[in-house]
Amino acid sequence: MKNSILLIVTFLFSTVTMAQDRKQKDTEWEQKFEQLGTMLPTPNVYRTASGAPGHQYWQQKADYKMKIVLDDNNQTITGTEDITYYNNSPDDLEYLWVQLDQNMRARDSDSPLIGRSSMRDTLSALAVFRLTGDSDYDGGFKIKSVKSSGQDMSYIINKTMMRIDLEAPLKSGQNMSFSIDWMYNINNRMTDGGRSGLEYFEDEDNYLYTIAQFFPRMAVYIDNEGWQNKQFLGSGEFALTFGDYEVDLTVPSDFIVGATGMLQNPNEVLTEEQMERFEQAKKSYDKPVIIVTEKEAKKNEKTKASDTKTWKFKAENVRDYGFCASRKFIWDAMAVKLSDGNEPLAMSYYPKEGNPLWEEWSTAAVAQTLKTYSKFTIEYPYPVAISVHTASIGMEYPMICFNYGRPNKDGSYSDRTKHGMIGVIIHEVGHNFFPMIINSDERQWTWMDEGLNTFVQYLTEQELTDQLGYEFPSRRGPAHKIVDYMSGENGLVRPIMTNSEQIRQFGANAYAKPATALNLLRTTVMGPELFDKAFKTYSERWAFKHPTPADLFRTMEDASAVDLDWFWRGWFYGTDYVDVDLSNVRWFQMQTEENGLESRNIKGAGQGIDGSNSNKDFGSDPQAFVFAESNRKYREFNQSVDNGKIKQAAEGKNFYELTLKNQGGLVSPIIIQWTYTDGSVELEKIPAEIWKINEKEVKKVFMKNKQVAKIVIDPDKMTADAYTDNNVFPRTNDGDRFEQFKEGKD
């Protein structure tokens, strides 16, 4: 009966509101709830309307057998690779495209030409160096040969892409093998920059190598695009094909090597004592076992071996390959039990300069990452996950990543350094899932790996609370942390759905905003249980496949039965922000003989309680509305309305008409905190669909048993509302912001 009463009373008020809404001009309706429709690609047999792979979905495969030599004296890498390429597409291919990412460092590279620069009154040595360049450094691949069955193949190099012409088309269902011989000079990452390269330690004349993008790699040929052969200019990362790898890495004999894949010949490259520790690590679940100690690493630093060793690795179903090598490395590892029969090794490689911080926290962070990501996406499928320490970097590859976080020379470190290191390790290890397994096209859509990964990074950081003893201070994820970016200067904000090379404010756009959007979608729109099921469905559907944005959008709706087109449109395709203005509140009670309330005209929308525009308080008395009896029959009740009962139930109740204006343009759920005069508090959430009829302004009436003292919109900053001083009623006299109310200073 209570719902019926509220329905009738709300109807009386809504008739006035509807009349006002009809005065809105059609041009003010921006169709924020229109379905995405043709904005998304047409579903087909490869990618369905549900967001799942279609029954004829296909993808290519590329297997590699490589022999790599790292020359520590000349800082070069020389390689021979045999590639077997499988054409699983329905198309015959007349040529192949191969990525040559190191060519962004070649002398004819476009990357420095398109880079922007400007002069300042004062320039550092590094700034001048980067303006003038390193005339001695000759970067880029030196391709020695491209052959098939011993015969030279015809090829042409266009910057960072190489086209290999075939004598006869590679037909659908066929495969072919060819080989490439190459070398390049390793870049000094500390001066030249880059995701891969060397760090030089002058005190002992030693190098630490973190090597990736180091070999010619097959470009992706895909159903929705054909060849992904967009040039590598530096910002957009990689689109890559899955395959199996067998890699021999030849390095000085005193080097320790970590790499994508499982070490195949530990007995040939480790001492007997190190072998025993390695086996112990496979059974240690509580803490890491140190396989190469700091004492052994310091001993290695003092002498330079003239002979070499070859470390052999195998990796299955990976999309890329990376490795690290140095005589400086300490190495520790522990097992992570994810399920019966799946106990990958979490491992860390770090020089003495990383201690004590790295010994204390690196492998623990790796282990936590595998556990949390496995819970929210898919169970980690690879045998190892490696974190490597070197200065000023955070970069990821299958099973291995390179991370910063260096203590002071005396071993001390700040909380900021500690949290930064833990955060970057979680983020880079997390990239194993996005995009190393759920293999989106980074060259086109940075947010699909960085944004999704940053979101699950946030969930992982929060699950570290027990180990840390306090809540991790996450930089990205909570809604209020994105406000400054989203409400910033118009020309500097671009949609999330922007190609990697055209993004402005890269970190905020591609990392923070999509991560915040997903966190808000989880906590405020869908709820954790429903969101987690849908997100896991997406991860499971597209593991070891090539998803697009449409596949994510469609799957999240398909697996949840929640229409989210308004959300994707606003958060991912637009640049509006959230600013809900609680512009007016009016308080009513039903007029009775007992209360003697004065019946006042209710047409004064937009005015304060006292008839002014001050919006300062509720006034001393409510306005009255007159109960109008009716004998109409309503289908909803299937009976005549019982005027007496409705009137009796409404007596003494407080009716609050809230006027809400969408000042920021981005439609959002509305979270209302009601504080009553007796001190009690109630939280109420209104779905975003309240804006469907009028995206600019809505009025809504709430019936409350108790008298309201204060109303706050989004009290816990869950919706990324940009301006919180218009979220509160009554307003303060001095215009203080919302934080003062939250701290109890009102």
Side-chain angles (χ1 to χ4, degrees):
M1 189 63 181
K2 179 180 178 182
N3 290 337
S4 300
I5 297 165
L6 183 57
L7 178 65
I8 297 299
V9 176
T10 302
F11 173 78
L12 295 174
F13 283 95
S14 65
T15 55
V16 176
T17 303
M18 289 171 63
Q20 294 167 345
D21 287 345
R22 282 195 294 268
K23 296 179 182 178
Q24 295 280 345
K25 295 179 181 178
D26 291 341
T27 55
E28 292 181 350
W29 186 45
E30 299 178 8
Q31 301 184 334
K32 298 181 187 298
F33 286 91
E34 183 185 7
Q35 296 294 288
L36 289 177
T38 56
M39 291 179 70
L40 300 181
T42 303
N44 52 46
V45 295
Y46 309 125
R47 298 171 191 272
T48 68
S50 70
H55 67 282
Q56 292 185 34
Y57 175 84
W58 56 267
Q59 64 188 41
Q60 311 290 64
K61 186 177 186 233
D63 294 340
Y64 298 80
K65 292 184 178 180
M66 296 192 288
K67 297 184 183 298
I68 309 298
V69 177
L70 190 157
D71 185 339
D72 185 50
N73 293 320
N74 297 301
Q75 291 79 57
T76 63
I77 289 182
T78 303
T80 296
E81 62 185 274
D82 296 321
I83 303 174
T84 302
Y85 186 70
Y86 299 82
N87 182 15
N88 298 321
S89 79
D91 310 318
D92 296 343
L93 303 178
E94 297 180 354
Y95 48 82
L96 309 177
W97 280 105
V98 176
Q99 299 185 49
L100 303 177
D101 295 319
Q102 282 295 330
N103 279 2
M104 72 163 289
R105 302 195 176 281
R107 286 178 170 165
D108 66 346
S109 170
D110 286 341
S111 295
L113 300 177
I114 66 170
R116 295 173 298 164
S117 57
S118 59
M119 292 299 297
R120 298 181 180 178
D121 293 340
T122 303
L123 293 176
S124 67
L126 182 59
V128 174
F129 176 84
R130 288 182 173 170
L131 284 173
T132 58
D134 184 352
S135 59
D136 294 330
Y137 176 64
D138 183 12
F141 281 112
K142 315 300 179 189
I143 302 295
K144 299 178 180 179
S145 68
V146 180
K147 298 188 177 191
S148 179
S149 301
Q151 301 298 312
D152 289 337
M153 302 181 75
S154 174
Y155 66 91
I156 184 171
I157 295 175
N158 176 17
K159 306 294 182 178
T160 61
M161 300 299 300
M162 177 168 69
R163 170 175 154 159
I164 302 176
D165 292 316
L166 306 179
E167 288 190 359
L170 180 63
K171 294 187 177 298
S172 175
Q174 292 184 343
N175 66 77
M176 66 168 295
S177 296
F178 61 99
S179 63
I180 306 175
D181 290 355
W182 49 268
M183 67 84 60
Y184 75 91
N185 298 305
I186 304 172
N187 58 295
N188 185 333
R189 198 175 46 75
M190 305 307 294
T191 56
D192 301 326
R195 294 175 166 91
S196 169
L198 62 86
E199 180 183 357
Y200 178 59
F201 292 81
E202 187 175 4
D203 289 347
E204 66 230 9
D205 188 31
N206 269 315
Y207 294 90
L208 189 159
Y209 298 94
T210 47
I211 304 299
Q213 300 132 245
F214 67 95
F215 62 101
R217 304 178 291 178
M218 289 302 306
V220 168
Y221 186 77
I222 194 170
D223 62 278
N224 64 316
E225 190 172 3
W227 285 107
Q228 166 49 286
N229 50 21
K230 186 175 174 63
Q231 294 284 343
F232 179 48
L233 298 174
S235 293
E237 291 183 344
F238 316 113
L240 297 160
T241 298
F242 286 105
D244 301 332
Y245 286 73
E246 295 181 21
V247 181
D248 293 352
L249 296 167
T250 300
V251 298
S253 62
D254 51 0
F255 270 38
I256 297 296
V257 176
T260 299
M262 199 66 185
L263 181 62
Q264 301 298 298
N265 61 333
N267 58 316
E268 296 177 6
V269 295
L270 301 178
T271 67
E272 185 174 337
E273 191 172 11
Q274 289 167 348
M275 277 286 298
E276 291 177 1
R277 298 172 192 154
F278 188 43
E279 293 303 315
Q280 290 173 10
K282 296 176 182 178
K283 301 171 185 174
S284 178
Y285 303 97
D286 299 326
K287 62 180 182 180
V289 173
I290 298 179
I291 299 166
V292 177
T293 67
E294 184 167 337
K295 182 178 179 181
E296 291 168 335
K298 287 180 176 178
K299 182 180 178 181
N300 283 347
E301 287 179 333
K302 293 177 181 177
T303 59
K304 293 188 177 181
S306 57
D307 58 337
T308 62
K309 286 183 180 178
T310 298
W311 297 60
K312 299 177 181 292
F313 293 88
K314 280 188 178 181
E316 295 181 353
N317 209 12
V318 294
R319 58 164 240 167
D320 200 1
Y321 202 90
F323 71 93
C324 65
S326 180
R327 58 177 56 88
K328 292 177 63 63
F329 278 141
I330 304 162
W331 174 17
D332 70 40
M334 65 180 286
V336 182
K337 187 175 181 60
L338 298 177
S339 64
D340 291 340
N342 187 14
E343 299 179 358
L345 284 173
M347 304 199 293
S348 296
Y349 293 74
Y350 46 96
K352 65 181 186 299
E353 287 79 5
N355 264 342
L357 180 58
W358 273 68
E359 186 175 318
E360 293 171 353
W361 281 105
S362 177
T363 300
V366 175
Q368 184 63 57
T369 304
L370 298 186
K371 293 174 183 176
T372 304
Y373 276 71
S374 293
K375 177 170 66 175
F376 286 104
T377 61
I378 68 163
E379 191 170 291
Y380 186 70
Y382 295 134
V384 297
I386 300 169
S387 170
V388 184
H389 172 59
T390 186
S392 307
I393 193 172
M395 195 58 205
E396 74 282 353
Y397 302 92
M399 304 187 221
I400 190 169
C401 56
F402 313 142
N403 305 309
Y404 64 79
R406 185 162 294 174
N408 301 318
K409 288 188 176 181
D410 63 1
S412 63
Y413 55 86
S414 65
D415 285 343
R416 181 177 180 179
T417 298
K418 172 184 173 181
H419 296 145
M421 184 206 79
I422 292 173
V424 76
I425 290 173
I426 293 172
H427 183 88
E428 306 306 343
V429 174
H431 271 307
N432 277 287
F433 297 83
F434 305 100
M436 302 301 159
I437 296 170
I438 303 158
N439 185 20
S440 58
D441 180 355
E442 300 174 274
R443 192 64 53 87
Q444 184 67 34
W445 304 115
T446 296
W447 71 267
M448 280 202 77
D449 68 292
E450 298 295 359
L452 271 63
N453 183 43
T454 302
F455 163 63
V456 189
Q457 174 192 348
Y458 169 70
L459 299 178
T460 306
E461 289 170 349
Q462 299 312 297
E463 293 200 349
L464 272 175
T465 297
D466 290 342
Q467 292 185 55
L468 289 168
Y470 55 87
E471 185 176 314
F472 190 92
S474 297
R475 292 176 53 231
R476 293 163 173 161
H480 68 275
K481 290 182 179 287
I482 199 63
V483 164
D484 288 345
Y485 168 69
M486 289 182 65
S487 60
E489 185 179 338
N490 230 4
L492 299 179
V493 180
R494 289 185 174 169
I496 292 174
M497 290 291 291
T498 298
N499 175 263
S500 302
E501 301 294 344
Q502 280 76 55
I503 295 172
R504 301 189 72 167
Q505 302 187 69
F506 206 84
N509 178 286
Y511 292 66
K513 187 179 177 183
T516 304
L518 291 172
N519 187 40
L520 190 148
L521 186 62
R522 181 177 188 261
T523 58
T524 306
V525 178
M526 297 175 69
E529 183 178 11
L530 194 57
F531 176 93
D532 291 349
K533 285 183 179 294
F535 193 68
K536 197 169 185 67
T537 298
Y538 166 73
S539 301
E540 291 171 345
R541 280 179 173 180
W542 290 98
F544 301 105
K545 295 181 177 68
H546 300 277
T548 67
D551 299 319
L552 170 65
F553 298 157
R554 285 168 165 156
T555 293
M556 291 300 293
E557 295 190 22
D558 178 69
S560 67
V562 179
D563 182 359
L564 295 172
D565 282 29
W566 66 269
F567 187 84
W568 309 128
R569 180 185 292 277
W571 276 88
F572 287 77
Y573 288 89
T575 58
D576 289 341
Y577 57 91
V578 177
D579 179 19
V580 176
D581 176 8
L582 178 55
S583 67
N584 195 26
V585 176
R586 298 200 299 165
W587 172 30
F588 292 86
Q589 286 183 354
M590 185 175 68
Q591 184 182 34
T592 65
E593 294 180 4
E594 289 77 13
N595 62 29
L597 291 173
E598 179 185 353
S599 177
R600 285 178 278 173
N601 193 321
I602 66 171
K603 293 182 179 179
Q607 292 185 337
I609 298 302
D610 59 1
S612 71
N613 292 315
S614 63
N615 241 350
K616 288 294 184 184
D617 55 42
F618 290 98
S620 58
D621 294 304
Q623 293 178 248
F625 70 87
V626 178
F627 183 82
E629 296 186 359
S630 173
N631 292 318
R632 290 179 59 189
K633 287 188 176 182
Y634 291 88
R635 285 180 297 171
E636 291 85 350
F637 299 125
N638 199 27
Q639 62 183 20
S640 296
V641 174
D642 190 328
N643 291 288
K645 284 187 177 180
I646 293 176
K647 183 175 181 180
Q648 182 180 8
E651 286 184 11
K653 299 296 191 294
N654 298 284
F655 295 85
Y656 293 93
E657 180 200 75
L658 275 58
T659 300
L660 299 157
K661 294 184 178 180
N662 180 4
Q663 304 285 20
L666 182 57
V667 293
S668 170
I670 300 168
I671 303 173
I672 307 173
Q673 179 179 277
W674 306 87
T675 300
Y676 300 103
T677 53
D678 64 1
S680 60
V681 177
E682 177 190 8
L683 204 65
E684 193 165 1
K685 189 174 82 171
I686 310 299
E689 282 78 4
I690 192 173
W691 303 100
K692 268 194 166 185
I693 302 302
N694 187 334
E695 299 162 354
K696 302 284 187 180
E697 178 179 311
V698 296
K699 286 182 170 63
K700 189 170 180 63
V701 176
F702 299 84
M703 185 178 74
K704 301 295 181 183
N705 292 324
K706 293 185 284 188
Q707 185 175 332
V708 174
K710 184 170 70 176
I711 303 172
V712 179
I713 304 298
D714 192 19
D716 298 317
K717 300 183 179 181
M718 299 292 288
T719 66
D721 198 307
Y723 299 104
T724 54
D725 49 354
N726 62 9
N727 287 18
V728 181
F729 191 94
R731 300 280 201 263
T732 55
N733 291 326
D734 56 3
D736 288 345
R737 296 182 67 83
F738 162 68
E739 284 75 7
Q740 292 181 301
F741 289 101
K742 193 171 183 182
E743 294 168 5
K745 296 179 181 177
D746 56 324

